Amino acid sequence: TFAVIGDPIDHSLSPNIHNAAFRSLNLDCTYIAYRVLADELESGIAALKSIGVAGFNITIPHKIAVMHHLDVVDENCSVVGACNTVSNAGGTLKGHNTDMEGFLDPIRRRGIPIRGSRVLLLGAAGFARERAESITVANRTLARGASLAGFAEAAGLQARYVGPDRIGPLSEYKFVVNATAVGLKGELSPLDLGTLGPDSVVYDIVYRPMKTDLIAKAGKMGATIIYGYEMLLGQAARAFEIWHGTEAPYGAMKRALLGGV
């Protein structure tokens, strides 16, 4: 048995994705959604251990707090400071973080090189792993922007932070990434997409709605677009591989996510 824990949890797409993977490979496994309130995390994890759950995913609001209840965490957890995947080996809980790998997965699948690229980042994402040349962090809260830019600099990148009104022409960047919640409720993108370059890659991690204002406008401009659901799939596939030690059936998982057969 596998699970995802969080609150709220009824919106989670993870059970559909993972159960489709199990059916595809004829695995005798099941994946459930388990609501755990913020003040019930310790007892919730104890309940999962008591039934011998083989692994579980973590979503809001537990991704940071759960680290206090694990026996060991991997390097990604330590770097990011959060955990979204746990494996259970005989009662020993190990934390993993698949956010960076999930974020990079659709870029790699398209064969788009990151090394040496200039990146405009609204929010936080994993470009440090692939050695981008420089990152411009745009954030409405300058203190938060400075913190994210400092994180990138610590990873050896050129980084700066600006307010949303100081971004400049998008033609300066190869990658334009929305790693914020803007678009989740149908908000218009604050970016002037009229300055997109011909080789621009626009990536929006918001996956509901699938075609955000940013994605729709970027597509009309001829940019390469990456949908938020692709990051979700990348995260799920990496979690599957951690738990099962074999390649995830990506096609079956994608069909389940998009409503296919």
Side-chain angles (χ1 to χ4, degrees):
T1 299
F2 298 85
V4 56
I5 66 171
D7 180 37
I9 201 62
D10 56 358
H11 69 289
S12 177
L13 301 174
S14 294
N16 283 346
I17 297 171
H18 283 280
N19 285 320
F22 300 155
R23 290 192 298 271
S24 174
L25 299 181
N26 293 315
L27 297 178
D28 185 18
C29 300
T30 189
Y31 187 109
I32 62 172
Y34 177 36
R35 185 186 182 204
V36 175
L37 303 181
D39 59 354
E40 297 176 353
L41 180 58
E42 184 174 5
S43 60
I45 292 175
L48 291 173
K49 288 182 69 173
S50 71
I51 65 171
V53 70
F56 56 95
N57 291 125
I58 305 98
T59 188
I60 294 172
H62 304 308
K63 295 176 73 172
I64 296 174
V66 73
M67 294 181 65
H68 301 293
H69 303 282
L70 304 177
D71 300 297
V72 63
V73 297
D74 71 3
E75 182 182 359
N76 283 345
C77 277
S78 298
V79 170
V80 175
C83 170
N84 69 351
T85 301
V86 173
S87 56
N88 181 9
T92 298
L93 300 183
K94 181 176 182 179
H96 310 262
N97 189 298
T98 67
D99 287 339
M100 285 192 288
E101 293 299 322
F103 174 83
L104 294 169
D105 182 71
I107 300 175
R108 292 169 174 164
R109 288 180 182 275
R110 286 169 170 78
I112 302 173
I114 295 175
R115 184 177 293 271
S117 299
R118 300 189 68 187
V119 179
L120 172 64
L121 177 61
L122 287 80
F127 279 99
R129 176 66 62 85
E130 295 293 313
R131 311 307 304 169
E133 176 184 294
S134 66
I135 293 180
T136 297
V137 179
N139 200 292
R140 284 177 293 184
T141 305
L142 289 182
R144 176 61 173 158
S147 175
L148 294 171
F151 181 86
E153 287 179 338
L157 303 180
Q158 298 179 36
R160 66 187 182 106
Y161 63 94
V162 298
D165 58 339
R166 303 286 298 276
I167 289 172
L170 298 187
S171 55
E172 296 181 3
Y173 309 99
K174 177 176 179 179
F175 289 91
V176 176
V177 182
N178 176 39
T180 75
V182 174
L184 188 63
K185 298 180 180 179
E187 303 98 325
L188 299 180
S189 170
L191 298 176
D192 177 11
L193 299 182
T195 60
L196 278 176
D199 299 318
S200 298
V201 179
V202 177
Y203 191 156
D204 195 339
I205 71 164
V206 172
Y207 63 86
R208 278 183 172 175
M210 185 169 73
K211 186 171 284 191
T212 61
D213 180 67
L214 174 61
I215 289 292
K217 289 177 178 176
K220 290 179 181 178
M221 294 295 296
T224 298
I225 58 176
I226 300 178
Y227 294 95
Y229 78 79
E230 297 178 75
M231 176 176 174
L232 181 65
L233 272 176
Q235 291 171 307
R238 179 64 189 125
F240 183 95
E241 290 160 3
I242 289 170
W243 292 330
H244 300 280
T246 188
E247 183 178 358
Y250 186 88
M253 298 169 85
K254 181 177 180 179
R255 287 192 296 273
L257 176 60
L258 297 181
V261 178

